[in-house]
Every structure is written in structure tokens, then in C-alpha cells.
Amino acid sequence: MLLDLLMSKQRQPAECVIKVGASQTEISDLYPFLTEVTVETSRQNPGVATLNFETRRDEQGKWSVQDAGVFAPWEPILIEAAFGDSSEEIMRGYIREIKSDYPEDAGATTVTVECQDDSLALDREHVRREWGAEAPTSDAEILREILVAKHAMTVHSDSGDGLTGLVFNQDSTDIRFLRDRAEANGYELIFREGEVYFGPPRLDGTPQETILAYAGRDTHCYRVSIQDDGHKPDKVAFEIAATEGRGTTQRVVEPDWPLLGLEPAGSSSSGLQDFTWLMSRQGGRNEEEMAARAQRKANEQAMKVRAEGELDGSLYGHVLRVGEPVPLDGVGERYGGTFYVDSVNHRFNMEGYRQACTLLRNAYGDDLEGSTNPLAAVI
């Protein structure tokens, strides 16, 4: 049986709300059979969700879940977390797959519903097209034509313009093509709340609610593990054709993302040789695109501090969002401060609402104002 927080008519904090179909009808009659909901969100991959149900057969041979007429492939689905009278979206998209498992014991029959975010709609057709055939185009124009004109989606207002003067071929589905264009620009491609963000990582955006560890009664972070990886390069180099004669010349790119802290997490002061990695050669890409890819690689490698933690979603009171900054307090002066949310695994089950997250940081030093003193908080 699903948690009382999912079955109660009077919603309690951290209630999972699921709505299906074009009319976004809540699956109220099926909540008693829902045993677990997991939603995986990430900067790098599409958001996916899994709904696990128990199911029962009545006297007429009708099954409570699979015969309810609710779930079908390509039905729109919206998953939210409700905190009292307010709710926050976790993921929206489409039902991708339904699996009904009928074991020998009929009482153990289950239904699993697999879902994916709105990017799934862009993975239905393999397209072969020459972009910029009549006149060079831009990533902004490509984005408008694919997302707005073709798929009736909304581009987030903060999205970037990308590269210009483009002439090349598309030989893939639209989503794979757009992910490649995001990589070519050093951008992120995030589908959330009915909009598509195509732009640089928003490290300097408005921080989310602070994650608190060892904060006495205010604690909502069950555990956190921090890895400080020194074997990541401080710079990235790539080769381009020499302007004169034969051979190549090398360009070195340094990180340029805003610091999430007070001191860069680099090894330039170690007294050793420069820590620079060389990108493999990539034919068919011009210098501007190579520079953008190298810049993104340098910035990602600068995220040397990685934190993995688990939050009590009810106590935290919010849905932790990927691709946005979040403060982490209670882990000391060196590692405490602002992080960037890389991925979040949301889980509703009999234990409640948990959010397992991966956070990244490119600096050391507590940059938070009024940080919690964990010892004082416990007293």
C-alpha cells in the first residue's frame, strides 16, 4: 500500500501528486495501489520516472491498474511534490512504457509505468537535413524552428544565442541533434516545467533553499559525502591547423565559470608542472566550435569538489532542481558554501520522500552569510 501521505484527502507535506492525460487528471483512485515513485533528473540526461503499482483482479477478471483506462504509451504525465497547500513540479513528459508482470501468485501481480520528460517527443523521427543550405544559420534559429515551429514547445527566456554562421548536416533525431548543438556551444539542454533551457550553466543564478547538515532540529540532510578530486586538469588544450605552412598550433583554455566559493579548487600553487589535458582531434569542426567545446570541458573539469547527499524531502520542503546553485551548510569552512546541482533522484515510498543528490563545486571556502554553527545548533 502507498504511504498515508499519498492516500490522505487532506494532503500532508511531501505528498506525491500524479496527473495523467491531456486534461491532467489526478490518479486519485489508483493511489492505494501505488508502492513507489522514483524520478531521476540530471543535467546530462533526460528526466525519467518509474511508477510501481500493486494490482488486484476482481470477480469479473478486471485488473485494478492496467484495466483502469488511465495508463497508455504517449499519454502526458505530470509528477509533483505537494507541501501542504503548495506544490512544486518534479517532472513532466510522457508515458514511455508499461510493464505488467503476472507471476504464479496472482496476489503478487505488479504494474510498472516508465516515463520520460518532454524530450521524448523529439525522439520519434530520424531527420536528414542540411542546415544553412541557402544561407548560413545560427543555433538560435535552429532552436526556434525545431522547438517552437515543429514541436510547439517554449524556449526559456534566459536561453543563449549559440553560434552563428552555421552550415552543416543533421543526421539524427531532433533531441540528439540539439544535445550535440548544446555540447558544441558549451551549453546545457534542460526540459523543465514546459520550457526548454538552451544556454550556459547558471552558476550565478538565485540559490535554492540551503541544504542543512548537523543543524540540530533544522537538519534535513541525512548524510553527505564529499570527494575532493585533485586528478582533474586545471586547463584544457586543443589543436588547430597552423595559419601558415603545415602542422598544428595548440590553444590552451582556462575555466571561466563563476567561482562557487572563495578560492579556486586548482593545483596551480602546487609547484608542479601545469596540469593540462589535450582534447582529441575532432575533424569537421571549426576553431570557434572547438574553442567552445574546450571551454566547456575546462569548466566541467574545474568542478573538482563533488558532494553526494540525501535529503528528507518533507523537512527540506522543496523540490531540489538540477542546473541551479544551492548552498550547503554544516560541513565546515573548506567545503561549506555554494554548490551546483548536477543530479537528483527523487523517491516516494513507505519511508517518505527522499532526495538523493549530486552537487558540484569549483572552489573552496564558505561563501555563505550567517552560516550555521553545527555545534551551537545541537546545543
PDB file of all heavy atoms in Angstrom, residues 28-56:
ATOM      1  N   SER A  28      -6.310   9.694  -8.489  1.00  0.00           N
ATOM      2  CA  SER A  28      -6.718   9.514  -7.086  1.00  0.00           C
ATOM      3  C   SER A  28      -7.133   8.086  -6.776  1.00  0.00           C
ATOM      4  O   SER A  28      -6.787   7.536  -5.713  1.00  0.00           O
ATOM      5  CB  SER A  28      -7.861  10.476  -6.756  1.00  0.00           C
ATOM      6  OG  SER A  28      -7.477  11.808  -6.994  1.00  0.00           O
ATOM      7  N   ASP A  29      -7.880   7.422  -7.691  1.00  0.00           N
ATOM      8  CA  ASP A  29      -8.368   6.070  -7.436  1.00  0.00           C
ATOM      9  C   ASP A  29      -7.257   5.036  -7.430  1.00  0.00           C
ATOM     10  O   ASP A  29      -7.454   3.919  -6.920  1.00  0.00           O
ATOM     11  CB  ASP A  29      -9.421   5.686  -8.483  1.00  0.00           C
ATOM     12  CG  ASP A  29     -10.690   6.514  -8.372  1.00  0.00           C
ATOM     13  OD1 ASP A  29     -10.904   7.107  -7.291  1.00  0.00           O
ATOM     14  OD2 ASP A  29     -11.450   6.578  -9.358  1.00  0.00           O
ATOM     15  N   LEU A  30      -6.102   5.364  -7.981  1.00  0.00           N
ATOM     16  CA  LEU A  30      -5.016   4.384  -8.076  1.00  0.00           C
ATOM     17  C   LEU A  30      -3.953   4.564  -7.007  1.00  0.00           C
ATOM     18  O   LEU A  30      -3.051   3.734  -6.873  1.00  0.00           O
ATOM     19  CB  LEU A  30      -4.365   4.459  -9.469  1.00  0.00           C
ATOM     20  CG  LEU A  30      -5.277   4.133 -10.652  1.00  0.00           C
ATOM     21  CD1 LEU A  30      -4.493   4.194 -11.960  1.00  0.00           C
ATOM     22  CD2 LEU A  30      -5.917   2.761 -10.485  1.00  0.00           C
ATOM     23  N   TYR A  31      -4.031   5.644  -6.232  1.00  0.00           N
ATOM     24  CA  TYR A  31      -3.040   5.854  -5.178  1.00  0.00           C
ATOM     25  C   TYR A  31      -2.935   4.680  -4.194  1.00  0.00           C
ATOM     26  O   TYR A  31      -1.833   4.347  -3.749  1.00  0.00           O
ATOM     27  CB  TYR A  31      -3.346   7.146  -4.416  1.00  0.00           C
ATOM     28  CG  TYR A  31      -2.944   8.414  -5.145  1.00  0.00           C
ATOM     29  CD1 TYR A  31      -3.626   9.607  -4.901  1.00  0.00           C
ATOM     30  CD2 TYR A  31      -1.892   8.432  -6.058  1.00  0.00           C
ATOM     31  CE1 TYR A  31      -3.268  10.784  -5.546  1.00  0.00           C
ATOM     32  CE2 TYR A  31      -1.532   9.594  -6.711  1.00  0.00           C
ATOM     33  CZ  TYR A  31      -2.221  10.777  -6.454  1.00  0.00           C
ATOM     34  OH  TYR A  31      -1.861  11.932  -7.099  1.00  0.00           O
ATOM     35  N   PRO A  32      -4.061   4.038  -3.803  1.00  0.00           N
ATOM     36  CA  PRO A  32      -3.942   2.916  -2.857  1.00  0.00           C
ATOM     37  C   PRO A  32      -3.080   1.770  -3.367  1.00  0.00           C
ATOM     38  O   PRO A  32      -2.613   0.947  -2.565  1.00  0.00           O
ATOM     39  CB  PRO A  32      -5.396   2.466  -2.653  1.00  0.00           C
ATOM     40  CG  PRO A  32      -6.206   3.673  -2.960  1.00  0.00           C
ATOM     41  CD  PRO A  32      -5.479   4.366  -4.062  1.00  0.00           C
ATOM     42  N   PHE A  33      -2.867   1.681  -4.689  1.00  0.00           N
ATOM     43  CA  PHE A  33      -2.080   0.585  -5.262  1.00  0.00           C
ATOM     44  C   PHE A  33      -0.635   0.996  -5.563  1.00  0.00           C
ATOM     45  O   PHE A  33       0.180   0.162  -5.924  1.00  0.00           O
ATOM     46  CB  PHE A  33      -2.742   0.085  -6.551  1.00  0.00           C
ATOM     47  CG  PHE A  33      -4.182  -0.300  -6.385  1.00  0.00           C
ATOM     48  CD1 PHE A  33      -5.206   0.556  -6.760  1.00  0.00           C
ATOM     49  CD2 PHE A  33      -4.518  -1.527  -5.822  1.00  0.00           C
ATOM     50  CE1 PHE A  33      -6.538   0.202  -6.602  1.00  0.00           C
ATOM     51  CE2 PHE A  33      -5.842  -1.891  -5.657  1.00  0.00           C
ATOM     52  CZ  PHE A  33      -6.854  -1.018  -6.040  1.00  0.00           C
ATOM     53  N   LEU A  34      -0.331   2.258  -5.403  1.00  0.00           N
ATOM     54  CA  LEU A  34       1.000   2.783  -5.731  1.00  0.00           C
ATOM     55  C   LEU A  34       1.963   2.500  -4.578  1.00  0.00           C
ATOM     56  O   LEU A  34       1.726   2.887  -3.438  1.00  0.00           O
ATOM     57  CB  LEU A  34       0.895   4.284  -5.984  1.00  0.00           C
ATOM     58  CG  LEU A  34       2.151   5.035  -6.422  1.00  0.00           C
ATOM     59  CD1 LEU A  34       2.727   4.470  -7.702  1.00  0.00           C
ATOM     60  CD2 LEU A  34       1.830   6.519  -6.582  1.00  0.00           C
ATOM     61  N   THR A  35       3.066   1.807  -4.874  1.00  0.00           N
ATOM     62  CA  THR A  35       4.023   1.421  -3.829  1.00  0.00           C
ATOM     63  C   THR A  35       5.279   2.276  -3.831  1.00  0.00           C
ATOM     64  O   THR A  35       5.889   2.478  -2.783  1.00  0.00           O
ATOM     65  CB  THR A  35       4.429  -0.050  -3.981  1.00  0.00           C
ATOM     66  OG1 THR A  35       5.029  -0.250  -5.278  1.00  0.00           O
ATOM     67  CG2 THR A  35       3.221  -0.964  -3.829  1.00  0.00           C
ATOM     68  N   GLU A  36       5.671   2.781  -4.984  1.00  0.00           N
ATOM     69  CA  GLU A  36       6.892   3.585  -5.031  1.00  0.00           C
ATOM     70  C   GLU A  36       6.922   4.430  -6.304  1.00  0.00           C
ATOM     71  O   GLU A  36       6.477   3.991  -7.357  1.00  0.00           O
ATOM     72  CB  GLU A  36       8.136   2.697  -4.979  1.00  0.00           C
ATOM     73  CG  GLU A  36       9.435   3.477  -4.899  1.00  0.00           C
ATOM     74  CD  GLU A  36      10.650   2.584  -4.732  1.00  0.00           C
ATOM     75  OE1 GLU A  36      10.999   1.870  -5.705  1.00  0.00           O
ATOM     76  OE2 GLU A  36      11.254   2.594  -3.636  1.00  0.00           O
ATOM     77  N   VAL A  37       7.469   5.636  -6.167  1.00  0.00           N
ATOM     78  CA  VAL A  37       7.687   6.529  -7.309  1.00  0.00           C
ATOM     79  C   VAL A  37       9.135   7.002  -7.249  1.00  0.00           C
ATOM     80  O   VAL A  37       9.590   7.482  -6.205  1.00  0.00           O
ATOM     81  CB  VAL A  37       6.742   7.750  -7.267  1.00  0.00           C
ATOM     82  CG1 VAL A  37       7.052   8.704  -8.418  1.00  0.00           C
ATOM     83  CG2 VAL A  37       5.290   7.308  -7.312  1.00  0.00           C
ATOM     84  N   THR A  38       9.853   6.854  -8.338  1.00  0.00           N
ATOM     85  CA  THR A  38      11.205   7.394  -8.432  1.00  0.00           C
ATOM     86  C   THR A  38      11.300   8.276  -9.668  1.00  0.00           C
ATOM     87  O   THR A  38      10.749   7.945 -10.724  1.00  0.00           O
ATOM     88  CB  THR A  38      12.268   6.290  -8.518  1.00  0.00           C
ATOM     89  OG1 THR A  38      12.041   5.492  -9.680  1.00  0.00           O
ATOM     90  CG2 THR A  38      12.248   5.413  -7.288  1.00  0.00           C
ATOM     91  N   VAL A  39      11.976   9.400  -9.522  1.00  0.00           N
ATOM     92  CA  VAL A  39      12.206  10.317 -10.636  1.00  0.00           C
ATOM     93  C   VAL A  39      13.686  10.695 -10.625  1.00  0.00           C
ATOM     94  O   VAL A  39      14.198  11.182  -9.620  1.00  0.00           O
ATOM     95  CB  VAL A  39      11.355  11.592 -10.535  1.00  0.00           C
ATOM     96  CG1 VAL A  39      11.586  12.475 -11.766  1.00  0.00           C
ATOM     97  CG2 VAL A  39       9.874  11.253 -10.405  1.00  0.00           C
ATOM     98  N   GLU A  40      14.358  10.451 -11.732  1.00  0.00           N
ATOM     99  CA  GLU A  40      15.773  10.781 -11.855  1.00  0.00           C
ATOM    100  C   GLU A  40      15.926  11.978 -12.784  1.00  0.00           C
ATOM    101  O   GLU A  40      15.536  11.924 -13.948  1.00  0.00           O
ATOM    102  CB  GLU A  40      16.565   9.593 -12.386  1.00  0.00           C
ATOM    103  CG  GLU A  40      16.540   8.376 -11.483  1.00  0.00           C
ATOM    104  CD  GLU A  40      17.348   7.222 -12.036  1.00  0.00           C
ATOM    105  OE1 GLU A  40      18.118   7.445 -13.000  1.00  0.00           O
ATOM    106  OE2 GLU A  40      17.201   6.096 -11.519  1.00  0.00           O
ATOM    107  N   THR A  41      16.492  13.059 -12.259  1.00  0.00           N
ATOM    108  CA  THR A  41      16.737  14.253 -13.052  1.00  0.00           C
ATOM    109  C   THR A  41      18.242  14.513 -13.102  1.00  0.00           C
ATOM    110  O   THR A  41      18.957  14.255 -12.132  1.00  0.00           O
ATOM    111  CB  THR A  41      16.012  15.471 -12.464  1.00  0.00           C
ATOM    112  OG1 THR A  41      16.441  15.668 -11.108  1.00  0.00           O
ATOM    113  CG2 THR A  41      14.504  15.267 -12.473  1.00  0.00           C
ATOM    114  N   SER A  42      18.707  15.036 -14.232  1.00  0.00           N
ATOM    115  CA  SER A  42      20.140  15.220 -14.420  1.00  0.00           C
ATOM    116  C   SER A  42      20.395  16.317 -15.430  1.00  0.00           C
ATOM    117  O   SER A  42      19.587  16.556 -16.333  1.00  0.00           O
ATOM    118  CB  SER A  42      20.772  13.904 -14.900  1.00  0.00           C
ATOM    119  OG  SER A  42      22.082  14.091 -15.378  1.00  0.00           O
ATOM    120  N   ARG A  43      21.544  16.994 -15.291  1.00  0.00           N
ATOM    121  CA  ARG A  43      21.942  17.986 -16.296  1.00  0.00           C
ATOM    122  C   ARG A  43      22.303  17.322 -17.610  1.00  0.00           C
ATOM    123  O   ARG A  43      22.161  17.915 -18.680  1.00  0.00           O
ATOM    124  CB  ARG A  43      23.162  18.775 -15.818  1.00  0.00           C
ATOM    125  CG  ARG A  43      22.928  19.682 -14.649  1.00  0.00           C
ATOM    126  CD  ARG A  43      24.112  20.610 -14.472  1.00  0.00           C
ATOM    127  NE  ARG A  43      25.350  19.886 -14.255  1.00  0.00           N
ATOM    128  CZ  ARG A  43      26.497  20.129 -14.888  1.00  0.00           C
ATOM    129  NH1 ARG A  43      26.563  21.080 -15.789  1.00  0.00           N
ATOM    130  NH2 ARG A  43      27.581  19.436 -14.600  1.00  0.00           N
ATOM    131  N   GLN A  44      22.815  16.100 -17.554  1.00  0.00           N
ATOM    132  CA  GLN A  44      23.372  15.447 -18.734  1.00  0.00           C
ATOM    133  C   GLN A  44      22.370  14.563 -19.475  1.00  0.00           C
ATOM    134  O   GLN A  44      22.503  14.362 -20.688  1.00  0.00           O
ATOM    135  CB  GLN A  44      24.581  14.590 -18.332  1.00  0.00           C
ATOM    136  CG  GLN A  44      25.626  15.316 -17.500  1.00  0.00           C
ATOM    137  CD  GLN A  44      26.324  16.419 -18.258  1.00  0.00           C
ATOM    138  OE1 GLN A  44      26.331  16.436 -19.489  1.00  0.00           O
ATOM    139  NE2 GLN A  44      26.919  17.367 -17.539  1.00  0.00           N
ATOM    140  N   ASN A  45      21.381  14.033 -18.762  1.00  0.00           N
ATOM    141  CA  ASN A  45      20.479  13.039 -19.340  1.00  0.00           C
ATOM    142  C   ASN A  45      19.025  13.473 -19.184  1.00  0.00           C
ATOM    143  O   ASN A  45      18.710  14.317 -18.344  1.00  0.00           O
ATOM    144  CB  ASN A  45      20.682  11.682 -18.636  1.00  0.00           C
ATOM    145  CG  ASN A  45      22.110  11.191 -18.763  1.00  0.00           C
ATOM    146  OD1 ASN A  45      22.661  11.122 -19.853  1.00  0.00           O
ATOM    147  ND2 ASN A  45      22.723  10.855 -17.633  1.00  0.00           N
ATOM    148  N   PRO A  46      18.138  12.881 -19.992  1.00  0.00           N
ATOM    149  CA  PRO A  46      16.717  13.223 -19.848  1.00  0.00           C
ATOM    150  C   PRO A  46      16.172  12.770 -18.509  1.00  0.00           C
ATOM    151  O   PRO A  46      16.643  11.796 -17.906  1.00  0.00           O
ATOM    152  CB  PRO A  46      16.057  12.466 -21.012  1.00  0.00           C
ATOM    153  CG  PRO A  46      17.007  11.360 -21.334  1.00  0.00           C
ATOM    154  CD  PRO A  46      18.365  11.912 -21.076  1.00  0.00           C
ATOM    155  N   GLY A  47      15.148  13.476 -18.006  1.00  0.00           N
ATOM    156  CA  GLY A  47      14.493  13.072 -16.782  1.00  0.00           C
ATOM    157  C   GLY A  47      13.631  11.845 -17.025  1.00  0.00           C
ATOM    158  O   GLY A  47      12.898  11.771 -18.024  1.00  0.00           O
ATOM    159  N   VAL A  48      13.722  10.859 -16.129  1.00  0.00           N
ATOM    160  CA  VAL A  48      12.940   9.627 -16.272  1.00  0.00           C
ATOM    161  C   VAL A  48      12.272   9.319 -14.943  1.00  0.00           C
ATOM    162  O   VAL A  48      12.783   9.649 -13.870  1.00  0.00           O
ATOM    163  CB  VAL A  48      13.813   8.433 -16.712  1.00  0.00           C
ATOM    164  CG1 VAL A  48      14.344   8.659 -18.120  1.00  0.00           C
ATOM    165  CG2 VAL A  48      14.966   8.201 -15.742  1.00  0.00           C
ATOM    166  N   ALA A  49      11.122   8.681 -15.019  1.00  0.00           N
ATOM    167  CA  ALA A  49      10.360   8.339 -13.817  1.00  0.00           C
ATOM    168  C   ALA A  49       9.870   6.906 -13.909  1.00  0.00           C
ATOM    169  O   ALA A  49       9.596   6.391 -15.003  1.00  0.00           O
ATOM    170  CB  ALA A  49       9.175   9.283 -13.642  1.00  0.00           C
ATOM    171  N   THR A  50       9.751   6.259 -12.749  1.00  0.00           N
ATOM    172  CA  THR A  50       9.217   4.900 -12.662  1.00  0.00           C
ATOM    173  C   THR A  50       8.140   4.868 -11.581  1.00  0.00           C
ATOM    174  O   THR A  50       8.390   5.264 -10.437  1.00  0.00           O
ATOM    175  CB  THR A  50      10.320   3.883 -12.321  1.00  0.00           C
ATOM    176  OG1 THR A  50      11.343   3.932 -13.310  1.00  0.00           O
ATOM    177  CG2 THR A  50       9.748   2.479 -12.261  1.00  0.00           C
ATOM    178  N   LEU A  51       6.955   4.395 -11.951  1.00  0.00           N
ATOM    179  CA  LEU A  51       5.841   4.243 -11.017  1.00  0.00           C
ATOM    180  C   LEU A  51       5.595   2.754 -10.814  1.00  0.00           C
ATOM    181  O   LEU A  51       5.347   2.030 -11.784  1.00  0.00           O
ATOM    182  CB  LEU A  51       4.564   4.905 -11.552  1.00  0.00           C
ATOM    183  CG  LEU A  51       4.695   6.291 -12.203  1.00  0.00           C
ATOM    184  CD1 LEU A  51       3.321   6.770 -12.652  1.00  0.00           C
ATOM    185  CD2 LEU A  51       5.325   7.276 -11.242  1.00  0.00           C
ATOM    186  N   ASN A  52       5.648   2.291  -9.590  1.00  0.00           N
ATOM    187  CA  ASN A  52       5.428   0.877  -9.278  1.00  0.00           C
ATOM    188  C   ASN A  52       4.085   0.699  -8.570  1.00  0.00           C
ATOM    189  O   ASN A  52       3.817   1.358  -7.558  1.00  0.00           O
ATOM    190  CB  ASN A  52       6.553   0.345  -8.379  1.00  0.00           C
ATOM    191  CG  ASN A  52       7.897   0.325  -9.102  1.00  0.00           C
ATOM    192  OD1 ASN A  52       7.975  -0.076 -10.255  1.00  0.00           O
ATOM    193  ND2 ASN A  52       8.941   0.753  -8.430  1.00  0.00           N
ATOM    194  N   PHE A  53       3.253  -0.208  -9.117  1.00  0.00           N
ATOM    195  CA  PHE A  53       1.920  -0.463  -8.569  1.00  0.00           C
ATOM    196  C   PHE A  53       1.754  -1.933  -8.217  1.00  0.00           C
ATOM    197  O   PHE A  53       2.271  -2.817  -8.911  1.00  0.00           O
ATOM    198  CB  PHE A  53       0.831  -0.119  -9.594  1.00  0.00           C
ATOM    199  CG  PHE A  53       0.700   1.342  -9.928  1.00  0.00           C
ATOM    200  CD1 PHE A  53       1.463   1.903 -10.940  1.00  0.00           C
ATOM    201  CD2 PHE A  53      -0.199   2.148  -9.245  1.00  0.00           C
ATOM    202  CE1 PHE A  53       1.340   3.249 -11.266  1.00  0.00           C
ATOM    203  CE2 PHE A  53      -0.330   3.488  -9.557  1.00  0.00           C
ATOM    204  CZ  PHE A  53       0.439   4.046 -10.576  1.00  0.00           C
ATOM    205  N   GLU A  54       1.025  -2.181  -7.153  1.00  0.00           N
ATOM    206  CA  GLU A  54       0.405  -3.485  -6.947  1.00  0.00           C
ATOM    207  C   GLU A  54      -0.925  -3.451  -7.693  1.00  0.00           C
ATOM    208  O   GLU A  54      -1.491  -2.371  -7.919  1.00  0.00           O
ATOM    209  CB  GLU A  54       0.167  -3.744  -5.466  1.00  0.00           C
ATOM    210  CG  GLU A  54       1.434  -3.838  -4.643  1.00  0.00           C
ATOM    211  CD  GLU A  54       1.144  -3.999  -3.164  1.00  0.00           C
ATOM    212  OE1 GLU A  54       0.000  -3.673  -2.739  1.00  0.00           O
ATOM    213  OE2 GLU A  54       2.044  -4.439  -2.456  1.00  0.00           O
ATOM    214  N   THR A  55      -1.446  -4.601  -8.079  1.00  0.00           N
ATOM    215  CA  THR A  55      -2.709  -4.619  -8.808  1.00  0.00           C
ATOM    216  C   THR A  55      -3.520  -5.842  -8.392  1.00  0.00           C
ATOM    217  O   THR A  55      -2.954  -6.871  -8.014  1.00  0.00           O
ATOM    218  CB  THR A  55      -2.471  -4.616 -10.335  1.00  0.00           C
ATOM    219  OG1 THR A  55      -3.719  -4.534 -11.033  1.00  0.00           O
ATOM    220  CG2 THR A  55      -1.699  -5.840 -10.788  1.00  0.00           C
ATOM    221  N   ARG A  56      -4.829  -5.730  -8.425  1.00  0.00           N
ATOM    222  CA  ARG A  56      -5.722  -6.807  -7.997  1.00  0.00           C
ATOM    223  C   ARG A  56      -6.768  -7.086  -9.082  1.00  0.00           C
ATOM    224  O   ARG A  56      -7.166  -6.191  -9.829  1.00  0.00           O
ATOM    225  CB  ARG A  56      -6.427  -6.423  -6.689  1.00  0.00           C
ATOM    226  CG  ARG A  56      -5.481  -6.186  -5.516  1.00  0.00           C
ATOM    227  CD  ARG A  56      -4.867  -7.477  -5.014  1.00  0.00           C
ATOM    228  NE  ARG A  56      -3.993  -7.243  -3.864  1.00  0.00           N
ATOM    229  CZ  ARG A  56      -2.690  -7.033  -3.961  1.00  0.00           C
ATOM    230  NH1 ARG A  56      -2.110  -7.020  -5.159  1.00  0.00           N
ATOM    231  NH2 ARG A  56      -1.960  -6.847  -2.883  1.00  0.00           N
TER     232      ARG A  56
END
